[in-house]
Amino acid sequence: MTTQELLQKARAAKWDMAAADTATKNRALLAMADALEARCDDILAANALDLEAARGTISEVMLDRLALSPDRIAGMAAGLREVAELPDPVGAVLSRVERPNGLVIEKTAVPMGVIAIIYESRPNVTSDAAALALKAGSACVLRGGKEAHRSAAAIVAALKEGLSTAGLSPDALQLVVDTSRASANELMAARGLVDLLIPRGGAGLIRACVDNAAVPVLETGTGICHVYVDRWADQDMALDILENAKCSRPSVCNAAEVCLVHRDVAGEFLPKLKERLEHNRFGHPVQLRLDPEAAKIIDGTPAGPADFDTEFLDYILALRVVDSLEEAVGHIAAHSTGHSEAIVTGDERAAHAFLARVDSAAVYWNASTRFTDGGEFGLGCEMGISTQKLHARGPLGLGELCSFKFVIKGAGQTR
């Protein structure tokens, strides 16, 4: 099936999804979860073929993103069930005004229509994106990366089975067969067929969509995330936070890529940080890229011109020594992608200054950046992390995947 043909099918099915009541959508999500578990062996077999083809062409960290296991498939099914438990955003009255002339004006949440998602080599995004789009009353068009296409096809086959079981059109969920750049360009140009395009992946993919799309784009961001260790930080806490933020899963967008350390504690803290990250509990030593001041204190690789502007997605951390909170905030303003930043400090005034002045989607005080996630924020699985300001910012949950319209109720009023 061509990309245009499946877009037409999704457009026809969006009315079916928009009209579906909450009970029907939830029944579909639960059936989709059951089908994922029932087809676990098929999905794992497809994933094994993807992994075999990808070995030697992508890094070990990226292979981990691609890999599925029974536990990961169970987690995907659990995500579907969690979304089924969430309140249905469609039809919610966001605000209500009664005018002096008697008109009642209700701002009401409505489905987007057809949501298209372009993503890369993370098969779990397939079920997460489908769950959220369908619960939000929209049809969903998925265009994954070539590395994960067999896995995505097996997952979508199971999800379509669940939709049919609940009496909804399986055409409401489509997987683009063509994984070439041409199909991505078709989605970007599909005015009248795609109501919202969400790119989820690396900086190149996101920039291509933002720069070239003729359809509305909701930009999800790359994550050059910072942790600033203030002069008043609890250093043991800072070590725990940095170990988690860098090492627990470095291939995701909420992993820390840059550590800024106040000069007053750098001499004491940096040797402890080097020791912790070289012998971290996740078993992968972290390579440190050091600015000249940090290099006077510990050994590591000198930071190059691009190291403070790179989303490494690997066991690499850029380190810089700063003279003040103001310098840390200025560095973040110059180099951040607006995703997630953290301050570790026991000084409440410093913390509030950081939280107020850092302009990112999520800002933390004494906590790891790894919490920037729909599930951790209580939104269920998320579509991605928006780093733009319109119309949604941060984790994209159900509410962020709806538009709204004004419903006006009268009794014969004229103007």
Side-chain angles (χ1 to χ4, degrees):
M1 188 186 303
T2 68
T3 302
Q4 284 296 313
E5 288 170 339
L6 65 84
L7 283 171
Q8 294 286 353
K9 285 181 175 290
R11 185 175 184 275
K14 78 176 185 179
W15 309 113
D16 186 31
M17 288 307 308
D21 60 25
T22 302
T24 301
K25 289 187 289 187
N26 288 344
R27 191 164 60 249
L29 289 167
L30 295 176
M32 290 158 68
D34 291 343
L36 268 185
E37 292 177 331
R39 289 188 172 227
C40 180
D41 290 344
D42 294 340
I43 295 168
L44 290 175
N47 185 245
L49 294 174
D50 283 334
L51 286 168
E52 182 180 353
R55 281 193 180 90
T57 65
I58 60 176
S59 70
E60 288 298 318
V61 170
M62 299 308 287
L63 280 173
D64 177 66
R65 293 180 70 160
L66 175 58
L68 291 174
S69 66
D71 284 346
R72 286 189 177 179
I73 292 172
M76 291 159 59
L80 286 159
R81 295 184 179 113
E82 287 170 5
V83 174
E85 292 293 322
L86 293 173
D88 189 345
V90 178
V93 177
L94 306 176
S95 65
R96 184 181 186 277
V97 176
E98 186 168 350
R99 301 293 296 150
N101 62 4
L103 285 179
V104 175
I105 302 172
E106 295 177 339
K107 183 180 179 181
T108 305
V110 296
M112 285 286 180
V114 175
I115 299 176
I117 304 98
I118 302 177
Y119 59 107
E120 294 175 340
S121 57
R122 290 180 65 185
N124 63 296
V125 174
T126 305
S127 63
D128 288 355
L132 289 165
L134 296 170
K135 177 70 179 261
S138 288
C140 181
V141 177
L142 301 165
R143 191 274 190 188
K146 63 181 180 180
E147 293 88 358
H149 187 70
R150 298 177 187 87
S151 305
I155 292 166
V156 167
L159 299 181
K160 282 176 168 282
E161 185 179 295
L163 276 172
S164 297
T165 299
L168 290 173
S169 172
D171 287 343
L173 177 60
Q174 299 289 342
L175 179 68
V176 175
V177 177
D178 179 9
T179 58
S180 71
R181 185 173 296 179
S183 66
N185 291 337
E186 282 188 82
L187 294 180
M188 294 181 212
R191 189 187 295 272
L193 294 174
V194 170
D195 296 291
L196 179 66
L197 175 63
I198 302 175
R200 180 168 172 171
L205 166 65
I206 294 165
R207 179 51 50 198
C209 291
V210 171
D211 289 348
N212 299 311
V215 300
V217 174
L218 185 52
E219 180 178 356
T220 62
T222 53
I224 301 178
C225 302
H226 296 73
V227 177
Y228 167 53
V229 181
D230 186 47
R231 63 191 298 191
W232 304 115
D234 178 319
Q235 293 188 27
D236 289 336
M237 177 191 292
L239 292 172
D240 290 343
I241 286 171
L242 278 158
E243 180 185 45
N244 177 264
K246 179 70 265 182
C247 304
S248 61
R249 201 169 182 198
S251 63
V252 293
C253 62
N254 56 24
E257 304 289 18
V258 178
C259 175
L260 306 172
V261 181
H262 195 287
R263 182 178 300 278
D264 287 358
V265 295
E268 179 184 359
F269 180 73
L270 288 180
K272 292 191 286 189
L273 179 63
K274 178 179 173 66
E275 171 69 17
R276 174 68 74 91
L277 295 184
E278 285 185 348
H279 302 94
N280 65 77
R281 65 188 178 89
F282 299 95
H284 296 274
V286 175
Q287 180 187 133
L288 301 178
R289 304 278 176 88
L290 308 177
D291 84 328
E293 294 304 309
K296 294 176 182 177
I297 302 170
I298 57 174
D299 295 329
T301 303
D307 281 332
F308 290 98
D309 297 293
T310 298
E311 186 182 30
F312 298 112
L313 302 175
D314 205 343
Y315 292 96
I316 302 170
L317 182 70
L319 271 172
R320 180 182 172 189
V321 175
V322 296
D323 289 329
S324 63
L325 170 69
E326 290 71 22
E327 187 177 350
V329 170
H331 177 97
I332 292 169
H335 299 276
S336 170
T337 53
H339 193 293
S340 302
E341 329 296 346
I343 182 173
V344 185
T345 187
D347 181 351
E348 187 171 344
R349 290 178 62 185
H352 286 301
F354 183 93
L355 299 176
R357 293 171 59 189
V358 171
D359 187 20
S360 292
V363 287
Y364 291 85
W365 176 14
N366 291 344
S368 170
T369 58
R370 288 279 287 112
F371 285 102
T372 307
D373 173 85
E376 296 293 338
F377 282 13
L379 305 175
C381 54
E382 42 141 92
M383 191 70 81
I385 309 294
S386 169
T387 55
Q388 66 185 49
K389 298 182 182 180
L390 295 175
H391 76 280
R393 197 179 196 192
L396 300 174
L398 290 171
E400 290 72 30
L401 296 181
C402 286
S403 183
F404 59 84
K405 64 184 177 185
F406 289 94
V407 177
I408 300 95
K409 300 172 183 176
Q413 290 92 334
T414 60
R415 180 179 179 183

